[in-house]
């Protein structure tokens, strides 16, 4: 599992290596909707998937697998029972964004059966 670091800003881009490929994740906080969204770009800054809403404890990539070569899953984990992740929740520790590799995901699913 890889923790994806978040910046104390409303809008920023973070480079991450997932499955040996560099991606640029663009994060934006929308104050009207009180939530975060994420775009996934390749290393050349070309959009792959746009406007993925970041919701707590939900696999964010599952519906975009046909567009991605990423085998794992990105999940926003939270420490409390919350419906939306607030502007400061990644910074104050109430939420964290993690990448679970494909092999880790398979192990989790096998133990759930």
């Amino acid at each position: 599992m890889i923790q994806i670091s978040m910046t104390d800003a409303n809008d920023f881009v973070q480079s991450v290596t997932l499955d040996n490929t560099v991606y640029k994740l663009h994060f934006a906080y929308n104050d009207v909707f009180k939530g975060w969204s994420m775009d996934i770009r390749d290393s050349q800054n070309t959009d792959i998937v746009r406007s993925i809403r970041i919701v707590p404890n939900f696999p964010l990539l599952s519906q975009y697998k046909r567009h991605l070569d990423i085998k794992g899953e990105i999940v926003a984990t939270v420490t409390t029972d919350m419906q939306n992740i607030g502007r400061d929740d990644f910074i104050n520790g109430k939420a964290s964004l993690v990448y679970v590799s494909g092999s880790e995901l398979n192990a989790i699913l096998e133990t759930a059966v």
Side-chain angles (χ1 to χ4, degrees), residues 68-103:
L68 299 167
D69 289 328
I70 300 172
K71 305 294 182 230
E73 190 59 73
I74 295 176
V75 179
T77 61
V78 296
T79 58
T80 62
D81 186 24
M82 60 173 74
Q83 299 298 314
N84 291 321
I85 299 171
R87 161 63 176 83
D88 298 319
D89 289 343
F90 288 113
I91 303 305
N92 65 24
K94 290 183 181 177
S96 61
L97 197 65
V98 296
Y99 174 72
V100 181
S101 71
S103 59

Short mmCIF file of all heavy atoms in Angstrom, two decimals, residues 68-103:
data_model
loop_
_atom_site.label_atom_id
_atom_site.label_comp_id
_atom_site.label_asym_id
_atom_site.label_seq_id
_atom_site.Cartn_x
_atom_site.Cartn_y
_atom_site.Cartn_z
N LEU A 68 -7.63 2.70 -17.98
CA LEU A 68 -6.39 2.71 -17.20
C LEU A 68 -5.65 1.38 -17.28
O LEU A 68 -6.27 0.33 -17.39
CB LEU A 68 -6.72 2.99 -15.73
CG LEU A 68 -7.38 4.31 -15.40
CD1 LEU A 68 -7.92 4.29 -13.98
CD2 LEU A 68 -6.39 5.45 -15.58
N ASP A 69 -4.33 1.46 -17.19
CA ASP A 69 -3.52 0.26 -17.08
C ASP A 69 -3.16 0.00 -15.63
O ASP A 69 -2.27 -0.80 -15.34
CB ASP A 69 -2.23 0.41 -17.90
CG ASP A 69 -2.51 0.37 -19.39
OD1 ASP A 69 -3.46 -0.33 -19.81
OD2 ASP A 69 -1.78 1.04 -20.15
N ILE A 70 -3.81 0.65 -14.72
CA ILE A 70 -3.54 0.51 -13.29
C ILE A 70 -4.25 -0.73 -12.78
O ILE A 70 -5.46 -0.87 -12.95
CB ILE A 70 -4.01 1.77 -12.52
CG1 ILE A 70 -3.28 3.01 -13.04
CG2 ILE A 70 -3.79 1.60 -11.03
CD1 ILE A 70 -3.81 4.32 -12.49
N LYS A 71 -3.51 -1.64 -12.15
CA LYS A 71 -4.08 -2.90 -11.68
C LYS A 71 -4.70 -2.79 -10.29
O LYS A 71 -5.56 -3.57 -9.92
CB LYS A 71 -3.01 -3.99 -11.65
CG LYS A 71 -2.30 -4.18 -12.96
CD LYS A 71 -3.22 -4.71 -14.02
CE LYS A 71 -2.47 -4.94 -15.30
NZ LYS A 71 -3.08 -4.35 -16.47
N GLY A 72 -4.26 -1.81 -9.51
CA GLY A 72 -4.74 -1.66 -8.14
C GLY A 72 -5.91 -0.69 -8.03
O GLY A 72 -6.64 -0.46 -8.99
N GLU A 73 -6.03 -0.13 -6.85
CA GLU A 73 -7.17 0.74 -6.55
C GLU A 73 -6.73 1.89 -5.66
O GLU A 73 -5.87 1.72 -4.81
CB GLU A 73 -8.27 -0.08 -5.85
CG GLU A 73 -9.57 0.62 -5.70
CD GLU A 73 -10.19 1.06 -7.01
OE1 GLU A 73 -10.69 0.21 -7.77
OE2 GLU A 73 -10.17 2.28 -7.27
N ILE A 74 -7.33 3.06 -5.87
CA ILE A 74 -7.12 4.21 -5.00
C ILE A 74 -8.35 4.34 -4.11
O ILE A 74 -9.48 4.29 -4.60
CB ILE A 74 -6.88 5.50 -5.81
CG1 ILE A 74 -5.57 5.39 -6.60
CG2 ILE A 74 -6.85 6.72 -4.88
CD1 ILE A 74 -5.29 6.57 -7.51
N VAL A 75 -8.10 4.50 -2.81
CA VAL A 75 -9.19 4.61 -1.83
C VAL A 75 -8.87 5.76 -0.87
O VAL A 75 -7.73 5.91 -0.43
CB VAL A 75 -9.34 3.30 -1.03
CG1 VAL A 75 -10.46 3.42 0.00
CG2 VAL A 75 -9.59 2.13 -1.95
N ALA A 76 -9.88 6.54 -0.57
CA ALA A 76 -9.76 7.57 0.47
C ALA A 76 -10.31 6.97 1.75
O ALA A 76 -11.50 6.72 1.87
CB ALA A 76 -10.54 8.83 0.09
N THR A 77 -9.42 6.69 2.69
CA THR A 77 -9.85 6.11 3.97
C THR A 77 -10.08 7.23 4.97
O THR A 77 -9.39 8.25 4.94
CB THR A 77 -8.80 5.13 4.51
OG1 THR A 77 -7.57 5.82 4.73
CG2 THR A 77 -8.58 3.98 3.54
N VAL A 78 -11.07 7.04 5.83
CA VAL A 78 -11.41 8.07 6.81
C VAL A 78 -11.43 7.46 8.21
O VAL A 78 -11.64 6.27 8.37
CB VAL A 78 -12.77 8.74 6.49
CG1 VAL A 78 -12.72 9.48 5.17
CG2 VAL A 78 -13.90 7.73 6.47
N THR A 79 -11.22 8.34 9.21
CA THR A 79 -11.17 7.88 10.60
C THR A 79 -12.52 7.96 11.30
O THR A 79 -12.71 7.37 12.34
CB THR A 79 -10.15 8.71 11.40
OG1 THR A 79 -10.53 10.09 11.33
CG2 THR A 79 -8.75 8.53 10.85
N THR A 80 -13.45 8.70 10.73
CA THR A 80 -14.78 8.83 11.32
C THR A 80 -15.83 8.50 10.27
O THR A 80 -15.50 8.34 9.09
CB THR A 80 -15.01 10.27 11.84
OG1 THR A 80 -14.93 11.17 10.74
CG2 THR A 80 -14.00 10.65 12.90
N ASP A 81 -17.06 8.44 10.67
CA ASP A 81 -18.16 8.17 9.75
C ASP A 81 -18.56 9.48 9.07
O ASP A 81 -19.38 10.23 9.58
CB ASP A 81 -19.35 7.57 10.51
CG ASP A 81 -20.46 7.15 9.57
OD1 ASP A 81 -20.17 6.88 8.39
OD2 ASP A 81 -21.61 7.09 10.03
N MET A 82 -17.94 9.77 7.93
CA MET A 82 -18.25 11.01 7.21
C MET A 82 -18.68 10.70 5.78
O MET A 82 -18.26 9.71 5.20
CB MET A 82 -17.05 11.96 7.22
CG MET A 82 -15.79 11.41 6.57
SD MET A 82 -14.42 12.59 6.41
CE MET A 82 -13.84 12.73 8.06
N GLN A 83 -19.56 11.54 5.26
CA GLN A 83 -20.08 11.37 3.91
C GLN A 83 -19.22 12.07 2.87
O GLN A 83 -19.11 11.62 1.75
CB GLN A 83 -21.52 11.91 3.82
CG GLN A 83 -22.49 11.20 4.73
CD GLN A 83 -22.61 9.73 4.40
OE1 GLN A 83 -22.75 9.37 3.23
NE2 GLN A 83 -22.53 8.87 5.39
N ASN A 84 -18.64 13.22 3.23
CA ASN A 84 -17.78 14.00 2.35
C ASN A 84 -16.45 14.24 3.03
O ASN A 84 -16.39 14.36 4.25
CB ASN A 84 -18.41 15.35 2.00
CG ASN A 84 -19.62 15.21 1.12
OD1 ASN A 84 -19.65 14.39 0.22
ND2 ASN A 84 -20.63 16.00 1.38
N ILE A 85 -15.42 14.35 2.23
CA ILE A 85 -14.10 14.68 2.76
C ILE A 85 -13.90 16.18 2.61
O ILE A 85 -13.94 16.71 1.50
CB ILE A 85 -13.01 13.89 2.03
CG1 ILE A 85 -13.25 12.38 2.24
CG2 ILE A 85 -11.63 14.31 2.51
CD1 ILE A 85 -12.37 11.50 1.41
N GLY A 86 -13.72 16.85 3.73
CA GLY A 86 -13.60 18.30 3.74
C GLY A 86 -12.26 18.80 3.23
O GLY A 86 -11.32 18.04 3.04
N ARG A 87 -12.18 20.10 3.04
CA ARG A 87 -10.99 20.76 2.49
C ARG A 87 -9.72 20.41 3.27
O ARG A 87 -8.68 20.15 2.69
CB ARG A 87 -11.22 22.27 2.47
CG ARG A 87 -10.01 23.17 2.36
CD ARG A 87 -9.25 22.99 1.07
NE ARG A 87 -8.16 23.93 0.97
CZ ARG A 87 -6.96 23.78 1.52
NH1 ARG A 87 -6.68 22.71 2.23
NH2 ARG A 87 -6.02 24.68 1.36
N ASP A 88 -9.79 20.37 4.60
CA ASP A 88 -8.60 20.15 5.41
C ASP A 88 -8.44 18.71 5.93
O ASP A 88 -7.49 18.42 6.64
CB ASP A 88 -8.62 21.10 6.61
CG ASP A 88 -8.60 22.56 6.17
OD1 ASP A 88 -7.86 22.88 5.23
OD2 ASP A 88 -9.32 23.37 6.78
N ASP A 89 -9.35 17.83 5.58
CA ASP A 89 -9.36 16.49 6.17
C ASP A 89 -8.14 15.64 5.81
O ASP A 89 -7.73 14.80 6.60
CB ASP A 89 -10.65 15.75 5.82
CG ASP A 89 -11.85 16.32 6.55
OD1 ASP A 89 -11.66 17.04 7.54
OD2 ASP A 89 -12.99 16.04 6.12
N PHE A 90 -7.55 15.84 4.64
CA PHE A 90 -6.32 15.10 4.30
C PHE A 90 -5.14 15.65 5.09
O PHE A 90 -4.21 14.92 5.42
CB PHE A 90 -6.02 15.17 2.81
CG PHE A 90 -6.96 14.34 1.97
CD1 PHE A 90 -7.85 14.95 1.10
CD2 PHE A 90 -6.95 12.96 2.04
CE1 PHE A 90 -8.71 14.19 0.32
CE2 PHE A 90 -7.81 12.19 1.27
CZ PHE A 90 -8.69 12.81 0.41
N ILE A 91 -5.17 16.92 5.42
CA ILE A 91 -4.07 17.57 6.14
C ILE A 91 -4.17 17.29 7.64
O ILE A 91 -3.16 17.03 8.30
CB ILE A 91 -4.06 19.09 5.87
CG1 ILE A 91 -3.95 19.37 4.36
CG2 ILE A 91 -2.94 19.79 6.63
CD1 ILE A 91 -2.78 18.71 3.67
N ASN A 92 -5.39 17.34 8.20
CA ASN A 92 -5.54 17.15 9.65
C ASN A 92 -5.62 15.69 10.08
O ASN A 92 -5.78 15.40 11.26
CB ASN A 92 -6.74 17.95 10.18
CG ASN A 92 -8.07 17.45 9.64
OD1 ASN A 92 -8.21 16.31 9.26
ND2 ASN A 92 -9.06 18.33 9.62
N GLY A 93 -5.52 14.76 9.13
CA GLY A 93 -5.46 13.34 9.48
C GLY A 93 -6.80 12.64 9.55
O GLY A 93 -6.85 11.44 9.85
N LYS A 94 -7.90 13.32 9.27
CA LYS A 94 -9.20 12.65 9.26
C LYS A 94 -9.37 11.74 8.05
O LYS A 94 -10.20 10.84 8.07
CB LYS A 94 -10.32 13.69 9.29
CG LYS A 94 -10.44 14.43 10.61
CD LYS A 94 -11.61 15.38 10.58
CE LYS A 94 -11.72 16.15 11.89
NZ LYS A 94 -12.80 17.14 11.85
N ALA A 95 -8.59 11.99 7.01
CA ALA A 95 -8.67 11.17 5.80
C ALA A 95 -7.27 10.99 5.24
O ALA A 95 -6.38 11.81 5.47
CB ALA A 95 -9.56 11.85 4.75
N SER A 96 -7.07 9.89 4.51
CA SER A 96 -5.82 9.70 3.79
C SER A 96 -6.15 8.99 2.47
O SER A 96 -7.12 8.25 2.37
CB SER A 96 -4.80 8.90 4.60
OG SER A 96 -5.30 7.63 4.91
N LEU A 97 -5.32 9.26 1.48
CA LEU A 97 -5.51 8.67 0.16
C LEU A 97 -4.43 7.61 -0.03
O LEU A 97 -3.24 7.89 0.12
CB LEU A 97 -5.41 9.76 -0.91
CG LEU A 97 -5.97 9.41 -2.27
CD1 LEU A 97 -7.48 9.20 -2.19
CD2 LEU A 97 -5.66 10.51 -3.26
N VAL A 98 -4.84 6.39 -0.34
CA VAL A 98 -3.90 5.29 -0.49
C VAL A 98 -4.12 4.56 -1.82
O VAL A 98 -5.22 4.53 -2.35
CB VAL A 98 -3.99 4.28 0.68
CG1 VAL A 98 -3.60 4.93 1.99
CG2 VAL A 98 -5.37 3.67 0.77
N TYR A 99 -3.02 4.00 -2.31
CA TYR A 99 -3.07 3.12 -3.47
C TYR A 99 -2.81 1.71 -2.99
O TYR A 99 -1.80 1.43 -2.34
CB TYR A 99 -2.03 3.52 -4.52
CG TYR A 99 -1.97 2.53 -5.66
CD1 TYR A 99 -2.99 2.49 -6.59
CD2 TYR A 99 -0.92 1.64 -5.79
CE1 TYR A 99 -2.97 1.57 -7.63
CE2 TYR A 99 -0.88 0.72 -6.82
CZ TYR A 99 -1.92 0.69 -7.74
OH TYR A 99 -1.90 -0.22 -8.76
N VAL A 100 -3.73 0.81 -3.29
CA VAL A 100 -3.61 -0.60 -2.95
C VAL A 100 -3.26 -1.33 -4.25
O VAL A 100 -4.03 -1.27 -5.22
CB VAL A 100 -4.91 -1.15 -2.35
CG1 VAL A 100 -4.76 -2.61 -1.97
CG2 VAL A 100 -5.35 -0.32 -1.15
N SER A 101 -2.08 -1.96 -4.29
CA SER A 101 -1.63 -2.64 -5.51
C SER A 101 -2.58 -3.79 -5.87
O SER A 101 -3.36 -4.26 -5.04
CB SER A 101 -0.21 -3.16 -5.34
OG SER A 101 -0.20 -4.26 -4.45
N GLY A 102 -2.47 -4.26 -7.10
CA GLY A 102 -3.32 -5.36 -7.56
C GLY A 102 -3.14 -6.62 -6.73
O GLY A 102 -4.11 -7.29 -6.39
N SER A 103 -1.89 -6.95 -6.37
CA SER A 103 -1.66 -8.16 -5.56
C SER A 103 -2.23 -8.00 -4.16
O SER A 103 -2.80 -8.94 -3.60
CB SER A 103 -0.18 -8.51 -5.52
OG SER A 103 0.56 -7.44 -4.98
#
